[in-house]
Amino acid sequence: MERIVYADHSATTFVKDEVLREMLPYFTRNFGNASSGYSIGRNARLAIDNARCKVATAIGARSDEIYFTSGGSEADNMIISGIARANKNRGKHIITTKIEHMAIINTCKNLEKEGFDITYLDVDEGGIINLNQLINSIREDTILISVMFANNEIGTIEPIEQIGKIAKENNILFHTDAVQAIGNVEIDVHKLNIDALSLSAHKFYGPKGIGAAYIKRDIDFHNLIFGGHQEKSKRAGTENVPAIVGLGKAIEISTSNIQRYNEKLLNYRNYFITKLQNNLDGIKVNGTMINRLPGNVNICINGIDSQTMLAMLDMYGICASSGSACNTSSLTPSHVLSAIGLTKEQANGSIRFTFGDANSFLDIDYIANTLIMIIKKLRMKNRTKITYMDI
Ligand SMILES: *Cc1c(COP(=O)(O)O)cnc(C)c1O
């Protein structure tokens, strides 16, 4: 069997055994529709209520403020479009950033067609927004600010507390896409003045295709999906009970182990970066090292094409991704790497490793050694090619 070393936890994570174990009875014994009144239906309803409570507890919200969705993308769509459409009589201006996930950016692009005006804030070379630019962008008709908690490509953590304060002082709603932050950063929506938040189970060792939107009570928002009375008639469709149960268990485990998880990943990251820099020239970490997800290493490697690099890593069983994980089919460089000022060449020479619970120190060492070996080989080959052409 080929050895697989997984270092792409920001793309998705495996489902933990404890999580799967909790889910299984809801595929079999307790398969009932949560809207049915007999025992197996009631069991499903109780399981949903229990999971909702766990999600609420994890972020300091109330149970009735949590809506289950099909994932992070749907939560982002539901919150941005839903709040914008319900509040358009108050104004049609929204502030977001240039480094959001495409679920936010493309939702905003779509709202532009409906007559909304969107400001996309810049970030500095570390990947952090400028609070003065945020304040200066606020207008009479600004109804919503949406800034991601932590970036999925470079792992930078935005100044959420300050943004929440600014939003509150100006009486503007504040949403954060916390998909990458859950399980890595302590989040209390009240302390941070967060009015709406998106999360997704498969980024913290839960199943794919399930997520949640936190929307503070009394905030008006339009439906994205119409139908039955599920989720207080705000998100129709028979509930995915096993997935909801998995989400509840996964968020409980990951938010109660943040400190230990952080320490482990920080050790991996520091070891990895030090090893690379001790053995190679022309390696630069993309994004700030200060406010950053502990498991994220996004590096720009001089003279290397990331697609070639990833294909070679794959031959050694190593799973990593390029800066443009979502754009692998297109040739446009990552919008995030462009926003922090990388040239097209630098962006195309960047790769992302995101460590997680699947990894041991042995893995980190294996990845580092393999990477160093491949880079040396590729650079040697490039040099030969150039020499050849010079002749
Ligand atoms: C993965 C991700 C999403 C999308 O979540 P899905 O559950 O895959 O739809 C949204 N935002 C961020 C920051 C992400 O990393």
Side-chain angles (χ1 to χ4, degrees):
M1 251 291 272
E2 189 198 354
R3 177 177 179 187
I4 293 290
V5 178
Y6 189 77
D8 204 12
H9 290 79
S10 277
T12 195
T13 57
F14 65 95
V15 175
K16 286 197 169 164
D17 288 340
E18 309 98 285
V19 174
L20 180 64
R21 225 176 299 128
E22 293 237 341
M23 292 171 66
L24 287 175
Y26 296 93
F27 286 106
T28 53
R29 246 183 307 128
N30 287 315
F31 65 87
N33 188 315
S35 300
S36 303
Y38 39 72
S39 61
I40 59 166
R42 291 197 309 272
N43 289 346
R45 169 61 51 206
L46 283 175
I48 293 174
D49 290 345
N50 186 28
R52 200 187 306 281
C53 187
K54 286 179 177 174
V55 174
T57 305
I59 59 169
R62 290 175 18 150
S63 280
D64 62 0
E65 297 172 318
I66 306 297
Y67 303 86
F68 291 115
T69 66
S70 66
S73 298
E74 188 191 323
D76 282 341
N77 275 257
M78 174 172 162
I79 289 168
I80 302 292
S81 293
I83 289 179
R85 288 170 185 156
N87 290 278
K88 66 178 176 205
N89 53 350
R90 288 180 40 224
K92 293 185 108 178
H93 181 232
I94 295 169
I95 301 172
T96 185
T97 80
K98 289 185 177 165
I99 62 162
E100 297 299 309
H101 190 272
M102 294 322 279
I104 297 287
I105 296 205
N106 285 335
T107 301
C108 288
K109 296 273 175 228
N110 187 56
L111 285 174
E112 284 174 354
K113 291 185 211 149
E114 293 179 23
F116 286 89
D117 196 9
I118 319 282
T119 298
Y120 300 90
L121 298 175
D122 298 315
V123 292
D124 61 19
E125 62 169 29
I128 306 293
I129 68 157
N130 180 322
L131 293 171
N132 287 324
Q133 193 193 17
L134 169 64
I135 292 167
N136 292 332
S137 303
I138 292 173
R139 313 191 313 213
E140 272 298 293
D141 61 340
T142 308
I143 52 172
L144 178 66
I145 295 169
S146 178
V147 177
M148 70 198 320
F149 212 117
N151 184 268
N152 45 302
E153 291 190 32
I154 52 177
T156 50
I157 299 169
E158 299 298 328
I160 295 300
E161 188 167 4
Q162 287 96 312
I163 300 167
K165 222 177 261 162
I166 292 166
K168 193 178 180 184
E169 280 163 11
N170 289 276
N171 200 23
I172 299 166
L173 296 175
F174 174 40
H175 164 253
T176 186
D177 175 338
V179 172
Q180 292 288 338
I182 300 282
N184 285 303
V185 189
E186 302 267 2
I187 299 177
D188 183 311
V189 291
H190 290 294
K191 246 191 250 158
L192 300 172
N193 287 312
I194 297 167
D195 297 302
L197 174 150
S198 324
L199 58 90
S200 175
H202 78 100
K203 302 290 175 71
F204 50 84
Y205 309 98
K208 296 171 189 46
I210 189 75
Y214 149 77
I215 303 174
K216 199 174 179 180
R217 58 181 179 280
D218 302 331
I219 292 178
D220 201 14
F221 66 100
H222 283 185
N223 283 39
L224 204 57
I225 296 174
F226 296 89
H229 55 266
Q230 293 90 354
E231 303 299 295
K232 294 188 284 169
S233 298
K234 295 307 274 183
R235 200 284 185 181
T238 303
E239 299 90 341
N240 186 348
V241 185
I244 290 171
V245 169
L247 167 57
K249 185 66 180 177
I251 203 166
E252 182 181 55
I253 298 175
S254 49
T255 52
S256 59
N257 284 310
I258 289 179
Q259 210 172 348
R260 201 176 45 79
Y261 189 59
N262 266 255
E263 274 166 29
K264 170 170 144 174
L265 298 190
L266 266 178
N267 281 335
Y268 289 169
R269 184 174 87 190
N270 293 339
Y271 178 82
F272 187 72
I273 293 176
T274 308
K275 179 142 187 175
L276 292 189
Q277 288 180 334
N278 284 346
N279 286 279
L280 295 163
D281 307 319
I283 302 275
K284 196 178 155 285
V285 180
N286 294 321
T288 177
M289 286 301 287
I290 302 161
N291 293 307
R292 188 185 187 105
L293 293 176
N296 179 294
V297 180
N298 189 315
I299 45 170
C300 176
I301 310 164
N302 257 354
I304 297 292
D305 167 61
S306 63
Q307 295 312 312
T308 312
M309 186 79 223
L310 290 175
M312 292 189 72
L313 286 171
D314 184 36
M315 291 195 294
Y316 289 90
I318 296 170
C319 312
S321 81
S322 62
S324 47
C326 305
N327 312 313
T328 36
S329 52
S330 71
L331 286 170
T332 46
S334 140
H335 65 289
V336 176
L337 298 181
S338 300
I340 61 170
L342 264 62
T343 63
K344 201 172 168 199
E345 285 68 38
Q346 288 171 324
N348 286 338
S350 294
I351 50 175
R352 178 188 76 179
F353 298 92
T354 43
F355 304 129
D357 257 342
N359 301 127
S360 64
F361 251 113
L362 272 179
D363 291 341
I364 310 302
D365 223 22
Y366 175 70
I367 299 171
N369 289 333
T370 311
L371 189 64
I372 291 164
M373 183 262 293
I374 294 174
I375 291 172
K376 285 187 172 164
K377 229 187 225 174
L378 284 176
R379 282 183 176 164
M380 191 87 79
K381 213 170 112 199
N382 285 346
R383 203 166 314 141
T384 333
K385 207 159 48 185
I386 291 163
T387 323
Y388 176 74
M389 286 194 306
D390 282 349
I391 298 168

